Amino acid sequence: MPESRGTLQLPPLSLYVHIPWCVRKCPYCDFNSHQAAQDHTDTEYALPQADYVAQLRRDLVSQLPWVQGRKLQSIFFGGGTPSLFSPEAIGQILEMAEELVGFAKGIEITLEANPGTFEQAKFTGYRAVGVNRLSIGVQSFNSTQLYNLGRIHSGDEAAGALEMARRAGFDNINLDLMHGLPEQTEAEALEDLRRAVSLAPEHISWYQLTIEPNTAFYSAPPCTPGSQLIASMQGSGRELLASEGYFRYEVSAYSGRGLESRHNLNYWSFGDYLGIGAGAHGKVTLPRERQVVRSRRTRTPRDYLSISSTKDELLPWELAAPHVDAVELQDLPLEFLMNALRLVDGVSLDTFARYTGLPLERLQRQWPTLEAMELVQPLEQRIAASAFGFNYLDEILQCFLEQP
Ligand SMILES: C[S@@+](CC[C@H](N)C(=O)[O-])C[C@H]1O[C@@H](n2cnc3c(N)ncnc32)[C@H](O)[C@@H]1O
Ligand code: SF4
């Protein structure tokens, strides 16, 4: 007999806006980012900003049936390098999101910025049009590392970017740093963290470098630290961050209390998000259809821009065709856990039933074994990995993959 589903509830709604261009492609990066053509008459990059903004509008209009009366609780401009877009273009996108969907009180609006792409006026402009959180891609402050990573800025420029952002009035800033870099020593990794902490950002994302297929590093792998050195680096790095008041609340995210990224928390708590822009992903709950749907927009900027550009109104699947899929009922627990278990404190028990429409018993086939192995916390108050199990998330998820 097919499994029945309880009442699905609508989770909070966020918006992800993908800006798919960068000054130069970094050799480690597998994000949907494309080198922008430089206009040789000056230092500007020739981006089809106006056309892209118009297409984003069509894209958002096409997804309005998925809003279902909600207002946006967060917006994230990701990339690529959104700071290549002018404050005016970012402002137009925000205006249209407010007009078409509406903003919840206290909405968080984040923009990813590359320290090589801005000046003071740009920061002031982003703040003026409503961006209230910046995520600055620093990666490292070490000049040799920055060179090896193909970055277009120095460590001092990265630090200067944060100071400029402060002068522009930003009081919520994230710095992205990576560790496990080519030939990196533990002392160097800790030095990067110390420099970051000295700038007092509200949030630090500290990612381990991964060598991804379809990147220059994959074709010619650099010599990265071995697993023992990485483990030692991570142990000392986390201690350093904690001693400075940066608490780890997700696999790679650290912040003061109350300064977590609300946008990312919504992803990890199985919230909904509309994704607009080339290659953007979305996830939407449709209680009436008793479905959770995932969408993915066409990936290359040229294809994205060319879709039905003569039409004013598109249906949700037209910009994504054929990439709108209902998540199979049997895959929902795994999808839910892939997100929720990334959070150190996991999520509350009722989140599972509310946002998957499945009874909690759906987790009870695997949970007792995992609990006996001390990999997860007892299924009484929260759905969470144990402190020990947090190091073995892939292994925990594997159990739900093998026996859905
Ligand atoms: C989409 S990028 C956007 C940031 C901005 N474009 C920049 O690089 O300045 C988000 C972050 O992902 C991290 N990242 C990208 N590729 C990575 C990889 N292969 N391994 C680990 N972290 C990676 C970097 O820290 C980067 O800042
Ligand atoms: S600037 Fe950021 S998004 Fe662009 S290629 Fe580098 S890491 Fe990727």
Side-chain angles (χ1 to χ4, degrees):
M1 219 170 82
E3 188 171 14
S4 69
R5 177 178 269 180
T7 315
L8 255 186
Q9 290 181 23
L10 277 180
L13 183 67
S14 296
L15 173 67
Y16 175 76
V17 185
H18 192 75
I19 308 290
W21 293 282
C22 291
V23 172
R24 193 162 76 198
K25 185 78 184 172
C26 302
Y28 55 85
C29 178
D30 78 333
F31 286 84
N32 184 29
S33 59
H34 306 263
Q35 187 157 323
Q38 191 169 2
D39 174 349
H40 289 286
T41 55
D42 53 30
T43 56
E44 292 297 304
Y45 287 83
L47 296 176
Q49 276 191 98
D51 289 349
Y52 198 73
V53 172
Q55 190 70 326
L56 287 175
R57 184 181 179 93
R58 283 201 198 87
D59 196 348
L60 185 56
V61 167
S62 78
Q63 299 186 46
L64 290 180
W66 287 344
V67 173
Q68 304 167 91
R70 289 170 290 181
K71 294 203 181 307
L72 297 171
Q73 59 107 42
S74 66
I75 299 180
F76 195 98
F77 289 91
T81 304
S83 54
L84 279 176
F85 266 32
S86 68
E88 292 72 29
I90 298 295
Q92 284 162 7
I93 300 166
L94 288 176
E95 263 175 40
M96 94 189 178
E98 185 165 22
E99 171 209 326
L100 294 171
V101 188
F103 290 176
K105 203 160 169 271
I107 183 171
E108 176 191 270
I109 302 177
T110 306
L111 180 122
E112 275 185 342
N114 182 315
T117 61
F118 40 61
E119 64 273 2
Q120 186 68 55
K122 233 175 174 181
F123 271 124
T124 311
Y126 293 138
R127 187 72 197 91
V129 297
V131 176
N132 54 23
R133 185 171 182 273
L134 277 184
S135 178
I136 305 179
V138 174
Q139 321 311 348
S140 172
F141 290 98
N142 178 306
S143 48
T144 311
Q145 287 298 354
L146 288 169
Y147 178 80
N148 290 340
L149 293 173
R151 299 294 293 180
I152 57 166
H153 55 86
S154 67
D156 286 345
E157 277 167 338
L162 191 132
E163 281 151 18
M164 264 192 238
R166 290 281 187 228
R167 279 199 293 278
F170 282 97
D171 59 5
N172 198 359
I173 299 177
N174 167 60
L175 296 188
D176 279 345
L177 282 179
M178 295 194 296
H179 63 282
L181 302 177
E183 322 270 350
Q184 191 179 42
T185 63
E186 186 166 330
E188 282 171 355
L190 294 181
E191 193 43 44
D192 274 344
L193 284 179
R194 263 188 224 106
R195 181 98 192 260
V197 163
S198 75
L199 297 166
E202 282 65 31
H203 191 287
I204 295 178
S205 300
W206 194 44
Y207 300 110
Q208 180 184 341
L209 173 71
T210 50
I211 306 295
E212 306 285 351
N214 300 318
T215 61
F217 272 6
Y218 191 78
S219 323
C223 181
T224 50
S227 54
Q228 274 190 334
L229 178 51
I230 293 276
S232 171
M233 225 177 238
Q234 291 177 336
S236 338
R238 282 174 203 140
E239 261 174 45
L240 187 153
L241 287 167
S243 70
E244 298 286 343
Y246 292 91
F247 300 100
R248 187 185 191 199
Y249 68 96
E250 188 268 346
V251 174
S252 310
Y254 301 78
S255 76
R257 304 271 182 229
L259 293 168
E260 298 88 355
S261 156
R262 286 177 49 198
H263 186 83
N264 288 339
L265 277 180
N266 193 42
Y267 289 159
W268 298 319
S269 313
F270 219 52
D272 278 0
Y273 50 97
L274 305 176
I276 60 172
H281 292 243
K283 177 239 163 200
V284 189
T285 307
L286 304 173
R288 228 175 305 150
E289 289 80 359
R290 310 185 104 212
Q291 270 185 347
V292 173
V293 169
R294 290 204 178 271
S295 66
R296 181 159 52 83
R297 271 34 197 144
T298 299
R299 210 171 139 87
T300 63
R302 196 191 308 155
D303 290 349
Y304 178 77
L305 281 165
S306 69
I307 294 171
S308 302
S309 52
T310 51
K311 278 168 68 180
D312 280 335
E313 287 199 12
L314 298 171
L315 294 167
W317 47 89
E318 286 190 281
L319 274 165
H323 304 299
V324 177
D325 297 312
V327 179
E328 295 292 334
L329 202 59
Q330 74 207 37
D331 296 336
L332 267 176
L334 178 68
E335 287 224 5
F336 181 92
L337 293 174
M338 276 167 65
N339 288 286
L341 295 185
R342 293 184 65 93
L343 290 168
V344 171
D345 292 334
V347 294
S348 64
L349 285 185
D350 61 333
T351 315
F352 182 77
R354 279 194 282 138
Y355 300 161
T356 64
L358 296 172
L360 199 57
E361 289 77 56
R362 211 48 188 71
L363 300 179
Q364 268 159 355
R365 211 176 319 157
Q366 292 88 343
W367 213 266
T369 318
L370 293 168
E371 196 182 324
M373 293 163 82
E374 297 186 4
L375 289 168
V376 294
Q377 295 185 22
L379 201 54
E380 275 153 22
Q381 280 150 4
R382 299 189 69 77
I383 298 171
S386 65
F388 169 67
F390 205 65
N391 301 312
Y392 298 98
L393 292 183
D394 286 348
E395 286 75 4
I396 299 176
L397 293 171
Q398 190 67 31
C399 296
F400 292 87
L401 188 67
E402 282 161 4
Q403 329 165 354

